Amino acid sequence: MKKIAAIGAVALVVALSVAAAAALRRDSGAPAMPTAIVAKTTFVDFLQLRGEIRPVRSVVLTAPSSGSDLQIVELAVNGSKVNAGDVVVTFDPTQQQRTLETKQSELKQAETEIDRTEAELRRRVASAQSELDEAKKALQRARLELQGNELRPRIEAENFVIAASNAEEHVRELEKKVEGERMAAQADVAIARQKRDKARFDVQDTERIMGSLDVRAPIAGSISLLPNFRSGGPGRAAPEFKRGDRAWFGAAIAELPDLSTVQMTARIDEADRGRIQLDSSVKVRVDAVPDRELTGTMKDISVVAKLDFSTFPPVRNFDIVVALADSDPRLRSGMSASARVELDRLAGVLVVPTAAVFQRGAATVAYVVAEGGVENRQVTVLRRGRDQIAIASGLKEGERVALKDPEPEGGAK
């Protein structure tokens, strides 16, 4: 029995080998051809875009717009969390401290000058007033002398009249002098006070500048350091700001993004501008978060095209914004992302890959692969997309079509 079983096993192996060899010869006679199944499904045409993730709301922390020697001496670590009011960037205050000391000294000198000028005002006015008082007394004596003129000789009486007139004139001159001294002294005091006010403003402005050297976070969040474009160069990306760097007035140093709501920004070529519409459905994949697909809608398309000098010759692009319906805690501002913008959708149509349809002169054909061979069949295209083609007629659901032209020279078989 064992011998019979062994003989049967050997015969079975031989038979299987013969069948495999025959199949191999049959397959080698016909070259392998990639194919696809005609499926009745939803046709979706889309546009592929590249862009980056940006927060809907964010606060950019900038260098002061005044001062000098804006050297960074303290800087928060990129990605670190801060609370509202925490210092994020500190600039070197040495120069402003020296300026403040100089301005404070000038303020003290101006205040002292006011006191000195006011004292001089009182002295000059008092001196003129004293001289005026003496002149008024002399006028009173002259007027008393006039009372006995009727008993004096005519010439002597006229001399007393002239003396009284001169005394009156002298009083009027001194009254003008007192008023002039008072006005001149007040003008000197006003000038001194203007110098004091200017010095006080300089002190307050320097104190304000010193306060602005500590850049604080207005809201809580995670710090995102921005690139220092002055440290970059041809062919290399600009590095992030770091301690020791010197900033310029108004330079954007860091960003505090609110990542609870994010969006994607990108650019599209002007040739594709007419193909997309607002509120179109968009699927977004972030390079750093490959295990999740985010959904969104086309929120905004710029009205004016901008020149893109990253290529030569430069092309015109439109800025677009994709609003994302959901977020992810792993997202960070500036992450690269790709998007598929839905351009068209047809439900319940026959769909084949774009590689399955060929042009033969004026006719559009597909090659149906069956056991009997390959059939050249004319088809009517309903809608053509980037990866798929919707077929109106010429194919049936479940048929297999070739993805490679079996007639490379255009000859009929």
Side-chain angles (χ1 to χ4, degrees), residues 219-307:
I219 60 173
S222 298
I223 291 296
S224 177
L225 296 181
L226 299 178
N228 181 1
F229 295 106
R230 291 190 177 180
S231 295
R236 60 189 182 94
E240 298 171 350
F241 276 98
K242 62 182 183 300
R243 292 182 183 179
D245 284 355
R246 277 184 164 80
W248 58 97
F249 294 152
I253 306 297
E255 184 181 23
L256 274 172
D258 180 6
L259 296 176
S260 60
T261 52
V262 294
Q263 61 189 13
M264 176 183 172
T265 59
R267 287 186 171 186
I268 59 169
D269 189 85
E270 59 181 343
D272 296 322
R273 170 62 182 87
R275 303 176 63 197
I276 63 174
Q277 301 294 330
L278 292 176
D279 299 327
S280 299
S281 177
V282 184
K283 300 294 183 182
V284 177
R285 281 197 176 273
V286 182
D287 295 351
V289 189
D291 58 341
R292 184 174 181 185
E293 186 177 67
L294 305 176
T295 60
T297 56
M298 186 65 60
K299 177 184 177 183
D300 186 46
I301 307 172
S302 65
V303 178
V304 180
K306 299 178 181 178
L307 281 174

Coordinates of all heavy atoms in Angstrom, one line a residue, residues 219-307:
I219 N -0.6 87.1 24.4 CA -1.5 86.0 24.6 C -0.7 84.8 24.9 O 0.5 84.8 24.7 CB -2.4 85.7 23.4 CG1 -1.6 85.4 22.2 CG2 -3.4 86.9 23.1 CD1 -2.4 84.9 21.0
A220 N -1.3 83.8 25.5 CA -0.6 82.5 25.7 C -0.5 81.7 24.4 O -1.4 81.8 23.5 CB -1.3 81.7 26.8
G221 N 0.5 80.9 24.3 CA 0.7 80.1 23.1 C 2.1 79.5 23.0 O 2.9 79.6 24.0
S222 N 2.4 78.9 21.9 CA 3.7 78.3 21.6 C 4.5 79.2 20.7 O 4.0 79.7 19.6 CB 3.6 76.9 21.0 OG 2.9 76.1 21.8
I223 N 5.7 79.5 21.0 CA 6.6 80.4 20.3 C 7.0 79.8 18.9 O 7.5 78.6 18.9 CB 7.8 80.8 21.1 CG1 7.4 81.7 22.2 CG2 8.8 81.6 20.2 CD1 6.7 83.0 21.8
S224 N 6.9 80.5 17.9 CA 7.4 80.1 16.6 C 8.4 81.2 16.1 O 8.0 82.3 15.7 CB 6.3 79.9 15.6 OG 6.8 79.5 14.3
L225 N 9.7 80.9 16.1 CA 10.7 81.9 15.7 C 10.7 82.0 14.2 O 10.6 81.0 13.5 CB 12.1 81.4 16.2 CG 12.3 81.4 17.7 CD1 13.7 81.0 18.0 CD2 11.9 82.7 18.4
L226 N 10.8 83.2 13.7 CA 10.8 83.5 12.3 C 12.2 83.7 11.7 O 13.1 83.9 12.5 CB 10.0 84.8 12.1 CG 8.5 84.8 12.6 CD1 7.8 86.1 12.4 CD2 7.8 83.7 11.9
P227 N 12.3 83.5 10.4 CA 13.7 83.6 9.8 C 14.3 85.0 9.8 O 13.5 86.0 9.7 CB 13.4 83.1 8.4 CG 12.0 83.3 8.1 CD 11.3 83.2 9.4
N228 N 15.6 85.0 10.0 CA 16.3 86.3 9.9 C 16.8 86.4 8.5 O 17.9 85.9 8.2 CB 17.5 86.3 10.9 CG 18.2 87.6 10.9 OD1 17.9 88.5 10.2 ND2 19.3 87.7 11.8
F229 N 16.1 87.1 7.7 CA 16.5 87.2 6.2 C 17.8 87.9 6.0 O 18.4 87.6 4.9 CB 15.3 87.9 5.5 CG 14.0 87.2 5.5 CD1 13.0 87.7 6.3 CD2 13.8 86.0 4.8 CE1 11.8 87.0 6.3 CE2 12.6 85.3 4.8 CZ 11.6 85.8 5.6
R230 N 18.3 88.7 6.9 CA 19.6 89.3 6.7 C 20.7 88.4 6.9 O 21.9 88.7 6.6 CB 19.7 90.5 7.6 CG 18.8 91.7 7.2 CD 19.1 93.0 8.0 NE 18.2 94.1 7.5 CZ 18.3 95.3 8.0 NH1 19.2 95.6 9.0 NH2 17.5 96.2 7.6
S231 N 20.4 87.2 7.5 CA 21.5 86.2 7.8 C 21.5 85.2 6.7 O 22.4 84.3 6.7 CB 21.3 85.5 9.1 OG 21.4 86.5 10.2
G232 N 20.5 85.2 5.8 CA 20.5 84.3 4.7 C 21.5 84.7 3.6 O 22.2 85.7 3.7
G233 N 21.5 83.9 2.5 CA 22.4 84.2 1.4 C 21.9 83.5 0.2 O 21.0 82.6 0.2
P234 N 22.6 83.7 -0.9 CA 22.2 83.0 -2.2 C 22.3 81.5 -2.0 O 23.4 81.0 -1.6 CB 23.2 83.6 -3.2 CG 23.6 84.9 -2.6 CD 23.6 84.7 -1.1
G235 N 21.3 80.8 -2.3 CA 21.4 79.3 -2.3 C 21.2 78.7 -1.0 O 21.2 77.5 -0.8
R236 N 20.9 79.5 0.1 CA 20.7 78.9 1.4 C 19.6 79.6 2.1 O 19.4 80.8 1.9 CB 22.0 78.9 2.3 CG 22.5 80.2 2.6 CD 23.9 80.1 3.2 NE 24.4 81.4 3.6 CZ 24.3 82.0 4.7 NH1 23.6 81.4 5.7 NH2 24.9 83.2 5.0
A237 N 18.8 78.8 2.9 CA 17.6 79.4 3.5 C 18.1 80.3 4.7 O 19.1 80.1 5.3 CB 16.8 78.3 4.0
A238 N 17.3 81.2 5.0 CA 17.5 82.1 6.1 C 17.3 81.4 7.4 O 16.3 80.8 7.6 CB 16.6 83.4 6.1
P239 N 18.3 81.5 8.4 CA 18.1 80.8 9.7 C 17.1 81.6 10.6 O 16.8 82.7 10.3 CB 19.5 80.8 10.3 CG 20.2 82.0 9.7 CD 19.6 82.2 8.3
E240 N 16.7 80.9 11.6 CA 15.8 81.6 12.6 C 16.7 82.6 13.4 O 17.9 82.5 13.5 CB 15.2 80.5 13.6 CG 14.4 79.5 12.9 CD 14.0 78.4 13.8 OE1 14.6 78.3 15.0 OE2 13.1 77.5 13.5
F241 N 15.9 83.6 14.0 CA 16.6 84.5 14.9 C 17.2 83.8 16.1 O 16.6 82.8 16.6 CB 15.6 85.6 15.4 CG 15.5 86.7 14.4 CD1 14.4 86.7 13.5 CD2 16.4 87.7 14.4 CE1 14.2 87.8 12.6 CE2 16.2 88.8 13.5 CZ 15.1 88.8 12.6
K242 N 18.3 84.2 16.6 CA 18.9 83.6 17.8 C 19.6 84.7 18.6 O 19.7 85.9 18.2 CB 20.0 82.6 17.3 CG 21.1 83.1 16.5 CD 22.1 82.1 16.1 CE 23.3 82.6 15.3 NZ 22.9 83.4 14.1
R243 N 20.0 84.3 19.8 CA 20.7 85.3 20.6 C 22.0 85.8 19.9 O 22.7 85.1 19.3 CB 21.1 84.6 22.0 CG 20.0 84.2 22.8 CD 20.5 83.6 24.1 NE 19.4 83.2 25.0 CZ 19.5 82.6 26.2 NH1 20.7 82.4 26.6 NH2 18.5 82.2 26.9
G244 N 22.2 87.1 20.1 CA 23.3 87.8 19.5 C 23.0 88.4 18.2 O 23.8 89.2 17.7
D245 N 21.9 88.0 17.5 CA 21.5 88.6 16.2 C 21.2 90.1 16.4 O 20.6 90.5 17.5 CB 20.4 87.9 15.6 CG 20.8 86.6 15.0 OD1 22.0 86.3 15.0 OD2 19.9 85.8 14.5
R246 N 21.4 90.9 15.4 CA 21.0 92.3 15.4 C 19.8 92.4 14.5 O 19.8 92.1 13.3 CB 22.1 93.2 15.0 CG 23.0 93.6 16.1 CD 24.1 94.6 15.7 NE 24.8 95.2 16.9 CZ 25.7 94.6 17.6 NH1 26.2 93.4 17.2 NH2 26.3 95.2 18.6
A247 N 18.7 93.0 15.0 CA 17.5 93.1 14.3 C 17.4 94.6 13.7 O 18.2 95.4 14.1 CB 16.3 92.8 15.1
W248 N 16.5 94.8 12.9 CA 16.2 96.1 12.3 C 14.8 96.6 12.8 O 14.1 95.8 13.4 CB 16.2 96.1 10.8 CG 15.3 95.1 10.2 CD1 14.0 95.4 9.7 CD2 15.5 93.7 10.0 NE1 13.4 94.3 9.2 CE2 14.3 93.2 9.4 CE3 16.5 92.8 10.3 CZ2 14.1 91.9 9.0 CZ3 16.4 91.5 9.9 CH2 15.2 91.0 9.3
F249 N 14.6 97.9 12.7 CA 13.3 98.4 13.2 C 12.1 97.7 12.6 O 12.0 97.6 11.4 CB 13.2 99.9 12.8 CG 14.2 100.8 13.5 CD1 14.7 102.0 12.9 CD2 14.8 100.4 14.7 CE1 15.6 102.8 13.6 CE2 15.7 101.2 15.4 CZ 16.1 102.4 14.8
G250 N 11.2 97.2 13.5 CA 10.0 96.6 13.0 C 10.2 95.1 12.5 O 9.3 94.6 11.9
A251 N 11.4 94.6 12.7 CA 11.6 93.2 12.2 C 10.7 92.2 12.9 O 10.6 92.3 14.1 CB 13.1 92.8 12.4
A252 N 10.1 91.3 12.2 CA 9.3 90.2 12.8 C 10.2 89.2 13.4 O 11.0 88.5 12.6 CB 8.4 89.6 11.7
I253 N 10.2 89.0 14.7 CA 11.1 88.1 15.4 C 10.5 86.8 15.6 O 11.1 85.7 15.4 CB 11.6 88.7 16.7 CG1 12.2 90.1 16.5 CG2 12.6 87.8 17.4 CD1 13.4 90.1 15.7
A254 N 9.2 86.8 16.1 CA 8.6 85.5 16.5 C 7.1 85.6 16.3 O 6.6 86.7 16.1 CB 8.9 85.1 18.0
E255 N 6.4 84.5 16.3 CA 5.0 84.5 16.1 C 4.3 83.6 17.1 O 4.9 82.6 17.5 CB 4.7 83.9 14.7 CG 3.2 83.9 14.3 CD 3.0 83.3 12.9 OE1 3.8 82.5 12.5 OE2 1.9 83.7 12.3
L256 N 3.2 84.1 17.6 CA 2.3 83.3 18.5 C 1.1 82.9 17.8 O 0.1 83.6 17.7 CB 2.0 84.2 19.7 CG 3.0 84.2 20.9 CD1 2.6 85.2 21.9 CD2 3.2 82.8 21.5
P257 N 1.1 81.7 17.2 CA -0.1 81.3 16.4 C -1.2 80.7 17.3 O -0.9 80.0 18.3 CB 0.5 80.2 15.5 CG 1.6 79.6 16.2 CD 2.2 80.7 17.1
D258 N -2.4 80.9 17.0 CA -3.5 80.2 17.6 C -3.9 79.0 16.7 O -4.6 79.1 15.7 CB -4.7 81.2 17.7 CG -5.9 80.5 18.4 OD1 -5.8 79.3 18.9 OD2 -7.0 81.1 18.4
L259 N -3.4 77.8 17.1 CA -3.5 76.6 16.3 C -4.8 75.9 16.5 O -5.0 74.8 16.0 CB -2.3 75.7 16.6 CG -1.0 76.3 16.1 CD1 0.2 75.3 16.5 CD2 -0.9 76.5 14.7
S260 N -5.7 76.5 17.3 CA -7.0 75.9 17.4 C -7.8 75.9 16.1 O -8.7 75.1 15.8 CB -7.8 76.6 18.5 OG -8.0 78.0 18.2
T261 N -7.6 77.0 15.3 CA -8.1 77.0 13.9 C -7.0 77.4 13.0 O -6.3 78.4 13.1 CB -9.2 78.1 13.9 OG1 -8.7 79.4 14.4 CG2 -10.4 77.8 14.7
V262 N -6.8 76.5 12.0 CA -5.7 76.7 11.0 C -6.3 76.7 9.6 O -7.5 76.3 9.4 CB -4.7 75.5 11.2 CG1 -4.0 75.6 12.5 CG2 -5.3 74.2 11.0
Q263 N -5.5 77.1 8.7 CA -5.9 77.1 7.3 C -4.6 76.8 6.4 O -3.5 76.8 7.0 CB -6.4 78.5 6.9 CG -5.5 79.6 7.1 CD -6.1 81.0 6.9 OE1 -7.3 81.1 6.8 NE2 -5.3 82.0 6.8
M264 N -4.8 76.6 5.2 CA -3.7 76.3 4.3 C -3.7 77.4 3.2 O -4.7 77.8 2.7 CB -3.9 74.9 3.6 CG -2.9 74.6 2.5 SD -3.2 73.1 1.7 CE -1.9 73.2 0.4
T265 N -2.5 77.9 3.0 CA -2.3 78.9 2.0 C -1.5 78.3 0.9 O -0.6 77.5 1.1 CB -1.6 80.2 2.6 OG1 -0.3 79.8 3.1 CG2 -2.4 80.8 3.6
A266 N -1.8 78.7 -0.4 CA -1.1 78.1 -1.5 C -1.2 79.1 -2.7 O -1.9 80.2 -2.6 CB -1.6 76.7 -1.9
R267 N -0.6 78.7 -3.8 CA -0.7 79.5 -5.0 C -1.1 78.6 -6.2 O -0.7 77.4 -6.2 CB 0.6 80.2 -5.4 CG 0.9 81.4 -4.4 CD 2.1 82.1 -4.9 NE 2.3 83.4 -4.2 CZ 3.3 84.3 -4.5 NH1 4.1 84.1 -5.5 NH2 3.4 85.4 -3.8
I268 N -1.9 79.1 -7.1 CA -2.3 78.4 -8.3 C -1.9 79.2 -9.5 O -1.9 80.4 -9.5 CB -3.8 78.1 -8.3 CG1 -4.6 79.4 -8.3 CG2 -4.2 77.2 -7.2 CD1 -6.1 79.1 -8.6
D269 N -1.6 78.4 -10.6 CA -1.2 79.1 -11.8 C -2.5 79.7 -12.4 O -3.6 79.3 -12.2 CB -0.7 78.0 -12.8 CG -0.1 78.7 -14.0 OD1 1.1 79.1 -14.0 OD2 -0.8 78.8 -15.0
E270 N -2.3 80.8 -13.2 CA -3.4 81.5 -13.8 C -4.2 80.6 -14.7 O -5.3 80.9 -15.0 CB -2.9 82.8 -14.4 CG -1.9 82.6 -15.6 CD -1.5 83.9 -16.2 OE1 -2.3 84.9 -15.9 OE2 -0.5 84.0 -16.8
A271 N -3.5 79.6 -15.3 CA -4.2 78.7 -16.2 C -5.3 77.8 -15.4 O -6.2 77.4 -16.0 CB -3.2 77.7 -16.9
D272 N -5.1 77.6 -14.1 CA -6.0 76.8 -13.3 C -7.0 77.7 -12.6 O -7.9 77.2 -11.9 CB -5.3 76.0 -12.3 CG -4.4 74.9 -13.0 OD1 -4.9 74.4 -14.0 OD2 -3.3 74.7 -12.5
R273 N -6.9 79.0 -12.7 CA -7.7 79.9 -11.9 C -9.2 79.7 -12.2 O -10.1 79.7 -11.4 CB -7.3 81.4 -12.2 CG -8.3 82.4 -11.6 CD -8.4 82.3 -10.1 NE -9.3 83.3 -9.6 CZ -10.6 83.1 -9.5 NH1 -11.2 81.9 -9.9 NH2 -11.4 84.0 -9.0
G274 N -9.5 79.6 -13.5 CA -10.9 79.5 -13.9 C -11.5 78.1 -13.6 O -12.7 77.9 -13.7
R275 N -10.7 77.1 -13.2 CA -11.2 75.8 -12.9 C -11.7 75.6 -11.5 O -12.4 74.7 -11.2 CB -10.1 74.8 -13.2 CG -9.6 74.8 -14.6 CD -8.4 73.8 -14.8 NE -8.9 72.5 -14.6 CZ -8.1 71.4 -14.3 NH1 -6.8 71.6 -14.2 NH2 -8.6 70.2 -14.2
I276 N -11.3 76.5 -10.6 CA -11.7 76.3 -9.2 C -12.7 77.3 -8.8 O -12.8 78.4 -9.4 CB -10.5 76.4 -8.2 CG1 -9.8 77.8 -8.3 CG2 -9.5 75.3 -8.5 CD1 -8.7 78.0 -7.3
Q277 N -13.5 77.0 -7.8 CA -14.6 77.9 -7.4 C -14.6 78.0 -5.8 O -14.0 77.1 -5.2 CB -16.0 77.3 -7.8 CG -16.1 77.2 -9.3 CD -16.1 78.5 -10.0 OE1 -16.5 79.5 -9.5 NE2 -15.6 78.5 -11.3
L278 N -15.1 79.0 -5.3 CA -15.2 79.2 -3.9 C -16.1 78.1 -3.3 O -17.0 77.6 -4.0 CB -15.7 80.5 -3.5 CG -14.8 81.7 -3.7 CD1 -15.5 83.0 -3.4 CD2 -13.5 81.6 -2.9
D279 N -15.8 77.6 -2.1 CA -16.6 76.6 -1.4 C -16.4 75.2 -2.0 O -17.1 74.3 -1.6 CB -18.1 76.9 -1.3 CG -18.4 78.2 -0.6 OD1 -17.6 78.5 0.3 OD2 -19.3 78.9 -1.0
S280 N -15.4 75.1 -2.9 CA -15.1 73.7 -3.4 C -14.5 72.9 -2.3 O -13.8 73.3 -1.4 CB -14.0 73.8 -4.5 OG -14.5 74.6 -5.6
S281 N -14.8 71.6 -2.3 CA -14.2 70.6 -1.3 C -12.7 70.4 -1.6 O -12.3 70.2 -2.7 CB -15.0 69.3 -1.4 OG -14.5 68.4 -0.5
V282 N -12.0 70.3 -0.5 CA -10.5 70.2 -0.5 C -10.1 69.1 0.5 O -10.6 69.1 1.6 CB -9.8 71.5 -0.2 CG1 -8.3 71.3 -0.4 CG2 -10.3 72.6 -1.1
K283 N -9.2 68.2 0.1 CA -8.6 67.2 1.0 C -7.1 67.6 1.2 O -6.4 67.9 0.2 CB -8.7 65.8 0.4 CG -10.1 65.3 0.2 CD -10.9 65.2 1.5 CE -12.3 64.6 1.3 NZ -13.0 64.5 2.5
V284 N -6.7 67.8 2.4 CA -5.4 68.3 2.7 C -4.6 67.2 3.5 O -5.1 66.6 4.4 CB -5.4 69.6 3.5 CG1 -4.1 70.0 3.9 CG2 -6.2 70.6 2.8
R285 N -3.4 67.0 3.1 CA -2.4 66.1 3.8 C -1.2 66.9 4.2 O -0.6 67.5 3.3 CB -2.1 64.9 3.0 CG -3.1 63.8 3.0 CD -2.6 62.5 2.6 NE -3.6 61.4 2.7 CZ -3.8 60.7 3.8 NH1 -3.1 60.9 4.8 NH2 -4.8 59.8 3.8
V286 N -0.9 66.9 5.4 CA 0.3 67.6 5.9 C 1.5 66.6 5.9 O 1.4 65.5 6.4 CB 0.1 68.2 7.3 CG1 1.3 69.0 7.8 CG2 -1.2 69.1 7.3
D287 N 2.6 67.1 5.4 CA 3.8 66.2 5.3 C 4.2 65.6 6.6 O 4.6 64.5 6.7 CB 5.0 66.9 4.6 CG 4.6 67.3 3.2 OD1 3.6 66.9 2.7 OD2 5.4 68.1 2.6
A288 N 4.1 66.5 7.7 CA 4.6 66.0 9.0 C 3.6 65.2 9.7 O 3.9 64.6 10.8 CB 5.0 67.2 9.8
V289 N 2.3 65.1 9.2 CA 1.3 64.3 9.8 C 0.7 63.4 8.7 O -0.4 63.6 8.3 CB 0.2 65.2 10.4 CG1 -0.8 64.4 11.3 CG2 0.8 66.3 11.3
P290 N 1.5 62.4 8.3 CA 1.0 61.6 7.1 C -0.1 60.7 7.4 O -0.7 60.2 6.4 CB 2.3 60.9 6.7 CG 3.1 60.7 8.0 CD 2.8 62.0 8.8
D291 N -0.4 60.4 8.6 CA -1.4 59.4 9.0 C -2.8 60.0 9.1 O -3.8 59.3 9.5 CB -1.1 58.7 10.3 CG -1.0 59.7 11.5 OD1 -0.8 60.9 11.2 OD2 -1.1 59.3 12.6
R292 N -3.0 61.3 8.7 CA -4.3 61.9 8.8 C -4.6 62.8 7.6 O -3.7 63.5 7.2 CB -4.4 62.7 10.1 CG -5.8 63.3 10.3 CD -6.0 63.9 11.6 NE -7.3 64.4 11.8 CZ -7.7 65.2 12.9 NH1 -6.8 65.4 13.8 NH2 -8.9 65.6 12.9
E293 N -5.8 62.7 7.1 CA -6.2 63.6 6.0 C -7.3 64.6 6.6 O -8.2 64.2 7.2 CB -6.9 62.8 4.9 CG -7.2 63.6 3.7 CD -7.8 62.8 2.5 OE1 -8.9 62.2 2.7 OE2 -7.1 62.7 1.5
L294 N -7.0 65.9 6.3 CA -7.9 66.9 6.8 C -8.8 67.4 5.7 O -8.5 67.3 4.5 CB -7.1 68.1 7.3 CG -6.0 67.8 8.3 CD1 -5.2 69.1 8.6 CD2 -6.6 67.3 9.6
T295 N -10.0 67.7 6.1 CA -11.0 68.2 5.1 C -11.1 69.7 5.2 O -11.0 70.3 6.3 CB -12.4 67.6 5.4 OG1 -12.8 67.9 6.7 CG2 -12.3 66.1 5.2
G296 N -11.4 70.4 4.1 CA -11.6 71.8 4.1 C -12.4 72.3 2.9 O -12.8 71.5 2.0
T297 N -12.5 73.6 2.8 CA -13.2 74.2 1.7 C -12.4 75.4 1.2 O -11.7 76.0 1.9 CB -14.6 74.7 2.1 OG1 -14.5 75.5 3.2 CG2 -15.5 73.5 2.4
M298 N -12.6 75.7 -0.1 CA -11.9 76.9 -0.7 C -12.6 78.1 -0.2 O -13.7 78.4 -0.4 CB -12.0 76.8 -2.2 CG -11.2 77.9 -2.9 SD -9.5 77.7 -2.7 CE -9.2 76.1 -3.4
K299 N -11.8 78.9 0.6 CA -12.3 80.0 1.3 C -12.1 81.3 0.6 O -13.0 82.2 0.5 CB -11.7 80.1 2.7 CG -12.1 81.3 3.5 CD -11.4 81.4 4.8 CE -11.7 82.6 5.7 NZ -10.9 82.7 6.9
D300 N -10.9 81.5 0.0 CA -10.6 82.8 -0.6 C -9.7 82.6 -1.8 O -8.8 81.7 -1.8 CB -10.0 83.7 0.4 CG -9.8 85.1 -0.2 OD1 -10.7 85.7 -0.8 OD2 -8.7 85.7 0.0
I301 N -9.9 83.4 -2.9 CA -9.0 83.4 -4.0 C -8.7 84.9 -4.3 O -9.6 85.7 -4.4 CB -9.7 82.8 -5.3 CG1 -10.2 81.4 -5.0 CG2 -8.8 82.7 -6.5 CD1 -11.1 80.7 -6.0
S302 N -7.4 85.2 -4.4 CA -7.1 86.6 -4.6 C -7.6 87.1 -6.0 O -7.8 86.4 -6.9 CB -5.5 86.7 -4.6 OG -4.9 86.0 -5.7
V303 N -7.9 88.4 -6.0 CA -8.4 89.0 -7.2 C -7.3 89.3 -8.2 O -7.6 89.2 -9.4 CB -9.1 90.3 -6.8 CG1 -9.7 91.0 -8.0 CG2 -10.3 90.1 -5.8
V304 N -6.1 89.6 -7.7 CA -5.0 90.0 -8.6 C -4.0 88.9 -8.6 O -3.6 88.4 -7.5 CB -4.5 91.4 -8.2 CG1 -3.3 91.8 -9.1 CG2 -5.5 92.4 -8.2
A305 N -3.4 88.6 -9.8 CA -2.3 87.7 -9.9 C -1.0 88.3 -9.5 O -0.8 89.5 -9.8 CB -2.2 87.1 -11.3
K306 N -0.1 87.6 -8.9 CA 1.2 88.1 -8.5 C 2.3 87.3 -9.2 O 2.2 86.1 -9.5 CB 1.4 87.9 -7.0 CG 0.4 88.7 -6.2 CD 0.7 88.5 -4.7 CE -0.3 89.2 -3.8 NZ -0.1 88.9 -2.4
L307 N 3.3 88.0 -9.6 CA 4.5 87.4 -10.2 C 5.2 86.5 -9.2 O 5.5 86.9 -8.1 CB 5.4 88.4 -10.8 CG 5.0 89.1 -12.1 CD1 5.9 90.2 -12.5 CD2 4.9 88.0 -13.2

